[in-house]
């Protein structure tokens, strides 16, 4: 039931954006997830967003890649639903493209590869993971001006 409602919400949003904003070429990436706290099953739709990463103390466990294009790109899109097991101790890490596309004073990007190398290192908590990435990110940026938002989110499953 929950999956059907999630899918309907995303499809209705897509049709609204296509119908009302197509002339402006507007679209939005999204990650829509529903977690069953009892089982740890995460059901999700990734509409053109950067992949989210499920990480544990061994590193990246799984990349939650797009299951469909961004919302508002095309009419009548069929958004696929995927599922992943969110185990106790796992951390779900999400970010905007401003993280990997931020530049240093020489114009060099932070890059997805650099981000992944930081996700591969063990963390004691979601806060520890975010602090590690933030430290590296702002050392890279130094005093360079940025053109996009830099947003990160980490959620750790502590128990069931």
């Amino acid at each position: 039931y929950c999956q059907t409602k999630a899918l309907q919400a995303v499809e209705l949003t897509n049709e609204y954006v296509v119908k009302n904003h197509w002339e402006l070429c507007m679209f939005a990436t999204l990650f829509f997830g529903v977690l069953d706290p009892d089982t740890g099953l995460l059901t999700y739709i990734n509409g053109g967003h950067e992949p989210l990463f499920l990480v544990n103390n061994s590193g990246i466990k799984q990349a939650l890649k797009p299951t469909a294009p961004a919302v508002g790109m095309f009419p009548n899109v069929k958004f696929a639903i995927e599922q992943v097991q969110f185990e106790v101790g796992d951390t779900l890490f999400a970010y905007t493209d401003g993280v990997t596309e931020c530049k240093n004073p020489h114009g060099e990007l932070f890059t997805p590869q650099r981000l992944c190398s930081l996700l591969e290192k063990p963390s004691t908590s979601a806060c520890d993971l975010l602090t590690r990435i933030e430290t590296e990110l702002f050392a890279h940026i130094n005093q360079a001006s940025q053109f996009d938002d830099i947003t990160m989110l980490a959620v750790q499953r502590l128990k069931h």
Side-chain angles (χ1 to χ4, degrees):
Y1 176 78
C2 188
Q3 292 176 353
T4 304
K5 292 295 183 187
L7 189 56
Q8 286 175 344
V10 173
E11 288 176 349
L12 286 170
T13 301
N14 183 70
E15 293 309 310
Y16 172 82
V17 174
V18 168
K19 180 180 176 183
N20 295 293
H21 302 289
W22 67 272
E23 291 176 340
L24 300 173
C25 298
M26 292 180 70
F27 65 90
T29 66
L30 70 77
F31 183 88
F32 191 107
V34 178
L35 176 65
D36 181 332
D38 293 328
T39 66
L41 188 64
L42 176 64
T43 302
Y44 68 92
I45 297 168
N46 183 342
H49 194 69
E50 298 296 319
L52 278 73
F53 292 100
L54 195 59
V55 298
N56 62 19
N57 279 334
S58 300
I60 297 173
K61 201 170 141 178
Q62 190 168 348
L64 310 184
K65 297 179 181 176
T67 60
V71 169
M73 296 273 298
F74 309 104
N76 305 314
V77 171
K78 297 300 177 204
F79 289 85
I81 294 178
E82 297 288 333
Q83 293 184 317
V84 64
Q85 192 62 44
F86 195 179
E87 302 287 346
V88 172
D90 287 352
T91 299
L92 183 66
F93 176 78
Y95 64 100
T96 59
D97 59 1
V99 171
T100 54
E101 294 174 0
C102 72
K103 294 181 181 180
N104 67 12
H106 306 290
E108 299 163 329
L109 298 176
F110 191 73
T111 75
Q113 295 80 6
R114 188 165 179 185
L115 176 61
C116 286
S117 73
L118 294 170
L119 293 171
E120 288 291 349
K121 297 176 183 175
S123 299
T124 57
S125 67
C127 186
D128 177 51
L129 177 65
L130 287 173
T131 300
R132 176 186 329 129
I133 295 169
E134 178 185 26
T135 300
E136 289 287 323
L137 196 61
F138 286 103
H140 173 80
I141 291 171
N142 197 350
Q143 299 296 317
S145 296
Q146 301 303 305
F147 66 94
D148 204 353
D149 70 290
I150 295 173
T151 305
M152 299 182 291
L153 171 74
V155 178
Q156 186 175 28
R157 183 166 186 225
L158 298 177
K159 59 183 175 179
H160 39 304

